[in-house]
Amino acid sequence: SSDSLLLSNSTQINFVFSILKYLANNTDSITHAEIIEYLIAKNYFDNVTLDEMLLQKEKVGLITLFENAGIAFNATYLSKLALYELCEELIRIFKLNKQPNAYLQFFLDEVLNYSTKKNNNLSEFIEYWDEKRNRASLIVPQGMNAVSIMTIHRSKGLEFPAVILPFLDSKVDTGKKDLWIDLNN
């Protein structure tokens, strides 16, 4: 469904966005928690809770946590990169591209479009992405052999050759060109 293809549903994109927010403002504790939560979920740290890691972060800092996890993270170097190159470098540093990922590719396309059409400012991109993130989605080509899952309301007027209506309990009036198969079992 189109909702499942939203870029904001990708944990990897949300993680990259959190790192971008961290680079723009390294004092935001919510961003720190988002980053640490992702790293825990991806097993960068062994058998620890988010609360324990947040306490540890307060003692040693986020960069030290990165170093302890074997992540070569140089905020000064990263802050000097252009926006697109920064995103590519973050994907490389955190090994987010081990498997082909259409979500990451579409996100990089969005970053490239933004940086070529508007500007390369990280803070402005963060504002832009905050507004756009719940609307940006993967685009599935029309000719692709796939099933589209959508509500009846959304599908009105699209004239599909076949429609499957699960759990339909009401009586259906069929015309001459409609085929209705009643499955009792």
Side-chain angles (χ1 to χ4, degrees):
S1 70
S2 60
D3 290 342
S4 68
L5 298 176
L6 288 172
L7 296 183
S8 63
N9 290 335
S10 169
T11 57
Q12 292 176 320
I13 290 176
N14 291 333
F15 173 69
V16 169
F17 186 62
S18 294
I19 295 289
L20 292 175
K21 290 191 304 186
Y22 170 78
L23 290 171
N25 176 11
N26 62 7
T27 61
D28 183 10
S29 57
I30 293 174
T31 301
H32 294 186
E34 291 170 350
I35 293 168
I36 292 170
E37 183 177 34
Y38 177 86
L39 295 176
I40 290 171
K42 295 301 176 185
N43 297 318
Y44 278 89
F45 307 109
D46 294 327
N47 299 324
V48 325
T49 65
L50 179 59
D51 291 337
E52 292 170 340
M53 288 307 297
L54 289 173
L55 288 173
Q56 183 71 18
K57 188 240 359 150
E58 290 300 320
K59 292 178 187 173
V60 298
L62 190 61
I63 300 297
T64 303
L65 290 182
F66 286 153
E67 292 169 0
N68 293 344
I71 300 167
F73 188 87
N74 183 338
T76 306
Y77 165 74
L78 292 171
S79 297
K80 294 177 183 175
L81 294 175
L83 184 59
Y84 184 81
E85 286 77 19
L86 170 60
C87 292
E88 279 190 328
E89 187 66 11
L90 292 175
I91 290 168
R92 187 194 63 74
I93 289 171
F94 292 99
K95 299 176 179 80
L96 302 177
N97 57 353
K98 285 182 182 177
Q99 300 289 326
N101 187 322
Y103 288 96
L104 281 174
Q105 191 58 52
F106 269 77
F107 177 72
L108 286 174
D109 290 346
E110 286 287 333
V111 172
L112 182 62
N113 286 338
Y114 178 84
S115 59
T116 55
K117 291 179 181 175
K118 297 193 178 187
N119 64 41
N120 230 359
N121 185 294
L122 179 58
S123 298
E124 289 179 22
F125 175 75
I126 289 169
E127 289 177 24
Y128 163 81
W129 189 250
D130 260 339
E131 292 175 15
K132 181 161 178 135
R133 70 190 298 171
N134 292 321
R135 293 183 318 241
S137 67
L138 292 176
I139 300 168
V140 180
Q142 282 296 79
M144 183 176 260
N145 188 12
V147 174
S148 295
I149 300 173
M150 60 184 68
T151 64
I152 292 172
H153 178 72
R154 185 175 283 175
S155 68
K156 285 181 183 175
L158 296 178
E159 298 183 11
F160 291 108
V163 177
I164 300 170
L165 299 169
F167 314 112
L168 183 67
D169 296 345
S170 61
K171 179 81 173 139
V172 176
D173 294 329
T174 59
K176 291 181 181 179
K177 64 180 185 170
D178 296 330
L179 171 65
W180 186 262
I181 300 172
D182 189 15
L183 300 175
N184 293 328
N185 298 333

